Amino acid sequence: MAIEAWFMDETSGEDQRLPRHCYPKELVSPDYLAELGVLYWRLNPENYENDAELKKIREDRGYNYMDLLDICPEKVADFKEKLKNFYTEHIHADEEIRYCLEGSAYFDVRDKDDRWIRIWIKAGDLIILPAGIYHRFTLDTGDYVKLMRLFVGEPVWTAHNRPQEDHPARKEYIKNLVTEKVGAALEAH
């Protein structure tokens, strides 16, 4: 089962926790997400402590830090304010790695044309957002997600709110998008 993603209706004033599909729906493929640098694995969340595939991903990518986070009204102080903060468009200087162990939530990312893509993560989905990609996070209407956060080295959770065009991570991200696009065009000929 592949991850579900779609272009968002950006004009909708609906609750941020709703799917906010365009009409008609415009689904986004995992390949298109990969072109944006978003990586995805489907794992077994019931066996995360002994999962050989998760262990290999962590070793291959150098993820030596791990913690677990429950996000729901009962476990997060100032829940509504935190959810509002998570939903503010931003970048990070490092990858954002999240493994959904329970519940579900959305990560929204900007594509090459600055359109919002909503990625619906559910139990078993591990996604990596590249450093420098504009994104935001929100719960869905289930109001609960348990996430594993992974990181290389000491975690730095600093969000840099948009605009960040001069941030080194953003410049590198844009450079990589352009390089990959040119490389793909050359391969096609």
Side-chain angles (χ1 to χ4, degrees):
M1 178 165 117
I3 196 158
E4 292 182 61
W6 54 88
F7 285 107
M8 290 180 67
D9 177 357
E10 297 180 42
T11 64
S12 172
E14 294 180 320
D15 182 340
Q16 71 190 40
R17 299 169 309 132
L18 293 173
R20 298 174 80 172
H21 284 284
C22 293
Y23 294 98
K25 290 181 182 178
E26 294 181 61
L27 301 179
V28 173
S29 71
D31 289 341
Y32 187 69
L33 292 175
E35 286 177 30
L36 301 175
V38 177
L39 304 178
Y40 169 76
W41 287 265
R42 180 81 184 152
L43 304 173
N44 179 359
E46 295 175 13
N47 188 35
Y48 71 89
E49 293 169 326
N50 301 305
D51 188 331
E53 188 174 3
L54 176 61
K55 183 179 180 191
K56 181 173 180 1
I57 292 166
R58 289 184 65 180
E59 287 173 358
D60 289 351
R61 299 186 66 87
Y63 301 146
N64 57 345
Y65 174 89
M66 183 275 291
D67 69 6
L68 301 177
L69 180 65
D70 286 312
I71 303 175
C72 61
E74 300 78 27
K75 295 193 178 185
V76 176
D78 299 321
F79 176 75
K80 287 185 179 180
E81 189 61 30
K82 287 276 197 279
L83 209 54
K84 183 179 168 187
N85 290 341
F86 293 154
Y87 201 62
T88 301
E89 185 174 2
H90 62 278
I91 67 169
H92 296 288
D94 298 293
E95 292 178 330
E96 183 160 335
I97 307 100
R98 299 293 183 267
Y99 180 18
C100 183
L101 299 175
E102 297 174 9
S104 52
Y106 299 119
F107 278 96
D108 300 337
V109 298
R110 292 279 190 180
D111 81 345
K112 298 169 191 173
D113 298 318
D114 214 31
R115 291 182 65 191
W116 279 119
I117 297 171
R118 177 149 277 189
I119 304 168
W120 193 12
I121 61 165
K122 297 176 224 146
D125 293 335
L126 184 148
I127 67 167
I128 299 173
L129 304 182
I133 193 171
Y134 282 122
H135 68 282
R136 61 190 181 191
F137 170 84
T138 190
L139 292 179
D140 60 17
T141 55
D143 272 343
Y144 174 71
V145 70
K146 180 176 191 159
L147 296 172
M148 174 186 291
R149 301 187 299 180
L150 298 166
F151 205 84
V152 175
E154 289 296 314
V156 178
W157 309 120
T158 305
H160 304 279
N161 292 346
R162 189 172 189 169
Q164 289 295 324
E165 301 314 308
D166 291 329
H167 191 286
R170 180 67 183 167
K171 286 181 173 181
E172 184 68 18
Y173 176 72
I174 295 299
K175 183 179 113 188
N176 289 339
L177 277 182
V178 170
T179 302
E180 288 176 24
K181 189 175 183 179
V182 169
L186 291 174
E187 285 178 15
H189 286 60

